[in-house]
């Protein structure tokens, strides 16, 4: 009954948050457990009673401040200074700037939107095809959900009830591996398709670009440094980073005006409200799933299929890749974590931080695969290039990402390098 109700509502294009809440209500009525109705409002609002959720609107606000303050443009210039004059240099620069931006924004849509305005025109002027430029920009946006801070990590950490700061640390090595895989693919394609060389910069120009980018680079250092050093929680680090980005944009780069703050706060609140409603509804749905004893039933079934932790993870990755083609990552995390995480931990001994990294990285691929991929359609709408064309050009990079996922499944230590021992 739960499954039929859920998928029927989805096919009717009902928003996912309402699908979760309505399905929970239908279960209560059809199971004759109407006594649970008195707990329904408490469970709904109880899903939001988590301090870690405060980080979400703060990181969204940080992205707004970074864009308006000219910080993203300075990061692009810093990446250009680091690369130098090489074939396909602007493609490398695009990806490196995305990597630096990913360690600040944590949102794929925000990142693709910002970089499409900055990088794509530059690449076109240098002789790149527009479809190539927007594809690389969209792929760079896939780093946002993996490089800390990450909205997916925040939501997973809240649902899994584990340290969000440690989860950020778990994403560092996988994020770097994904970046290196993408850089390697660019290197191969640059030689094959004869991408243009970047313009040569002398030492003075490079030093100037790097010097101007120092305030921008300080923001991810502040975020990670505060968390690593135990100075601040992820929420507090996000608040500090917001203040620093406003000061940098206003007084150093002189591009941010205080009149921007009001609209930015409204946009951040609106975007955060969508995610928070999803989380509240998912808490109710998870409560119903637990009442139905679904995790235990799933554990019994999966143990009959395999007793190997890597095989279990590969099955999970396969399921997530299929789900990611038709749903956004946040609803999937909300749906599957209450069911899969207890099984992974209790029956297969999988570390929750390792499981979270594999889960989020698998879902990232869905952002650039039809028919739903949000990054795919944001890139398409911003560039005018058909989504199918962008998806086709992205295939080599997606295969490289699958190789990184396989490596993480087989070598769990890669995602646990920076996590303190208990």
């Amino acid at each position: 009954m739960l499954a039929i109700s859920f998928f029927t509502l989805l096919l009717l294009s009902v928003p996912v948050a309402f699908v979760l809440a309505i399905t929970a209500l239908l279960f209560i009525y059809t199971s004759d457990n109407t006594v649970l109705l008195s707990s329904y409002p408490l469970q709904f609002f109880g899903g939001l009673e988590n301090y870690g959720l405060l980080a979400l609107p703060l990181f969204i606000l940080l992205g707004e401040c970074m864009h308006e303050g000219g910080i993203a443009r300075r990061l692009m210039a810093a990446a250009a200074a680091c690369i130098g004059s090489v074939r396909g240099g602007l493609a490398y620069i695009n990806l490196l700037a995305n990597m630096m931006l990913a360690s600040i924004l944590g949102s794929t849509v925000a990142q693709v939107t910002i970089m499409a305005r900055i990088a794509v025109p530059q690449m076109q002027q240098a002789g790149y095809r527009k479809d190539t430029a927007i594809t690389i920009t969209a792929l760079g946006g896939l780093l946002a959900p993996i490089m800390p801070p990450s909205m997916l990590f925040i939501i997973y950490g809240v649902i899994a009830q584990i340290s969000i700061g440690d989860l950020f640390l778990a994403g560092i090595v996988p994020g770097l591996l994904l970046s290196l895989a993408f850089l390697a693919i660019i290197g191969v394609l640059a030689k094959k398709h004869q991408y243009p060389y970047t313009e040569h910069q002398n030492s003075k120009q490079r030093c100037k670009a790097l010097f101007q980018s120092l305030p921008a680079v300080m923001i991810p250092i502040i975020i990670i440094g505060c968390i690593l050093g135990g100075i601040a929680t992820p929420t507090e680090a996000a608040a500090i980073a917001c203040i620093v980005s406003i000061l940098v944009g206003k007084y150093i780069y002189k591009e941010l005006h205080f009149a921007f703050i009001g609209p930015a706060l409204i946009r951040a609140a609106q975007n955060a409200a969508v995610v928070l409603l999803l989380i509240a509804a998912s808490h109710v749905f998870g409560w119903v799933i637990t009442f139905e004893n679904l995790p235990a039933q799933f554990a019994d079934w999966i143990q009959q299929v395999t007793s190997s932790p890597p095989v279990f993870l590969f099955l999970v990755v396969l399921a997530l890749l299929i789900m990611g083609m038709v749903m956004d990552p946040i609803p999937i995390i909300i749906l599957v974590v209450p069911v899969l995480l207890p099984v992974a931990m209790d029956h297969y001994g999988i570390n929750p931080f390792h499981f979270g990294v594999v889960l989020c990285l698998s879902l990232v691929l869905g952002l650039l695969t039809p028919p739903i991929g949000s990054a795919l359609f944001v890139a398409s709408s911003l560039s005018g290039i058909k989504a199918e064309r962008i998806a086709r050009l992205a295939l080599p990079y997606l295969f490289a990402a699958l190789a990184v996922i396989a490596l993480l499944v087989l070598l769990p230590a890669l995602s646990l390098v920076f996590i303190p021992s208990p």
Side-chain angles (χ1 to χ4, degrees):
M1 181 64 191
L2 276 173
I4 293 171
S5 303
F6 179 80
F7 287 110
T8 301
L9 291 169
L10 276 182
L11 289 172
L12 292 172
S13 299
V14 176
V16 174
F18 294 104
V19 171
L20 295 170
I22 292 169
T23 303
L25 277 174
L26 289 174
F27 170 76
I28 291 172
Y29 277 110
T30 55
S31 62
D32 292 328
N33 290 312
T34 51
V35 68
L36 297 178
L37 286 174
S38 59
S39 300
Y40 189 93
L42 182 65
Q43 293 292 335
F44 193 91
F45 289 102
L48 301 178
E49 294 178 349
N50 190 297
Y51 174 73
L53 285 177
L54 282 174
L56 268 176
L58 288 171
F59 279 122
I60 293 171
L61 178 61
L62 177 59
E64 296 279 350
C65 296
M66 296 238 345
H67 173 54
E68 294 293 331
I71 293 172
R73 188 158 48 81
R74 265 68 177 201
L75 292 176
M76 188 83 176
C82 293
I83 289 293
S85 182
V86 296
R87 183 177 291 282
L90 271 178
Y92 291 115
I93 290 165
N94 189 343
L95 195 66
L96 286 175
N98 266 298
M99 187 164 61
M100 290 187 280
L101 207 58
S103 65
I104 301 169
L105 293 180
S107 166
T108 293
V109 172
Q111 188 162 325
V112 172
T113 302
I114 292 170
M115 290 301 294
R117 296 176 189 168
I118 299 170
V120 174
Q122 289 187 35
M123 293 181 73
Q124 282 187 272
Q125 290 174 9
Y128 288 83
R129 289 168 55 96
K130 191 176 184 180
D131 54 3
T132 300
I134 195 63
T135 299
I136 294 172
T137 301
L139 284 158
L142 299 191
L143 299 172
I146 297 300
M147 299 290 285
S150 158
M151 285 192 200
L152 296 190
F153 282 173
I154 293 171
I155 294 166
Y156 174 84
V158 168
I159 296 173
Q161 297 183 346
I162 59 176
S163 167
I164 294 172
D166 286 347
L167 195 54
F168 283 176
L169 300 180
I172 293 175
V173 172
L176 292 174
L177 287 173
L178 188 62
S179 303
L180 290 172
F182 285 175
L183 288 170
I185 296 297
I186 287 175
V188 173
L189 295 180
K191 187 174 181 181
K192 179 180 178 181
H193 298 294
Q194 298 293 294
Y195 288 171
Y197 282 89
T198 44
E199 183 181 346
H200 176 74
Q201 294 185 29
N202 59 38
S203 299
K204 184 178 179 180
Q205 290 172 318
R206 290 187 183 187
C207 289
K208 182 181 178 181
L210 290 172
F211 179 75
Q212 289 182 340
S213 72
L214 285 177
V217 174
M218 284 299 297
I219 295 174
I221 293 174
I222 287 170
I223 295 171
I224 302 301
C226 286
I227 296 171
L228 266 176
I231 300 169
T233 65
T235 303
E236 293 163 348
I240 294 168
C242 282
I243 294 170
V244 172
S245 67
I246 291 171
L247 295 176
V248 167
K250 173 67 176 176
Y251 296 108
I252 297 179
Y253 296 148
K254 303 185 187 303
E255 294 186 18
L256 183 65
H257 303 286
F258 285 134
F260 150 82
I261 300 299
L265 288 170
I266 292 172
R267 285 194 298 270
Q270 289 172 335
N271 291 330
V274 173
V275 179
L276 292 174
L277 179 61
L278 265 172
I279 292 172
S282 75
H283 192 267
V284 175
F285 189 79
W287 170 55
V288 167
I289 284 176
T290 304
F291 191 85
E292 185 72 359
N293 205 26
L294 187 59
Q297 293 176 30
F298 179 78
D300 291 340
W301 174 80
I302 199 71
Q303 281 184 301
Q304 295 173 12
V305 176
T306 179
S307 59
S308 168
V311 173
F312 166 76
L313 278 178
F314 278 123
L315 290 173
V316 169
V317 168
L318 179 62
L320 293 173
L321 290 174
I322 295 170
M323 293 177 71
M325 292 181 182
V326 294
M327 291 177 66
D328 279 336
I330 291 175
I332 296 175
I333 288 178
I334 288 166
L335 285 171
V336 304
V337 170
V339 177
L340 293 180
L341 184 60
V343 178
M345 291 174 62
D346 299 338
H347 297 276
Y348 292 95
I350 296 171
N351 186 289
F353 296 101
H354 175 228
F355 184 78
V357 168
V358 172
L359 180 142
C360 291
L361 186 52
S362 301
L363 293 177
V364 159
L365 301 191
L367 293 171
L368 211 60
T369 54
I372 301 295
S374 56
L376 183 66
F377 287 98
V378 167
S380 177
S381 63
L382 290 172
S383 64
I385 304 295
K386 288 185 177 180
E388 294 84 356
R389 174 64 179 167
I390 298 173
R392 198 157 46 244
L393 291 174
L395 279 176
Y397 300 90
L398 297 180
F399 285 126
L402 286 173
V404 172
I405 293 173
L407 188 63
L408 290 172
V409 168
L410 297 173
L411 298 174
L414 291 174
S415 57
L416 305 175
V417 172
F418 294 105
I419 296 181
S421 300

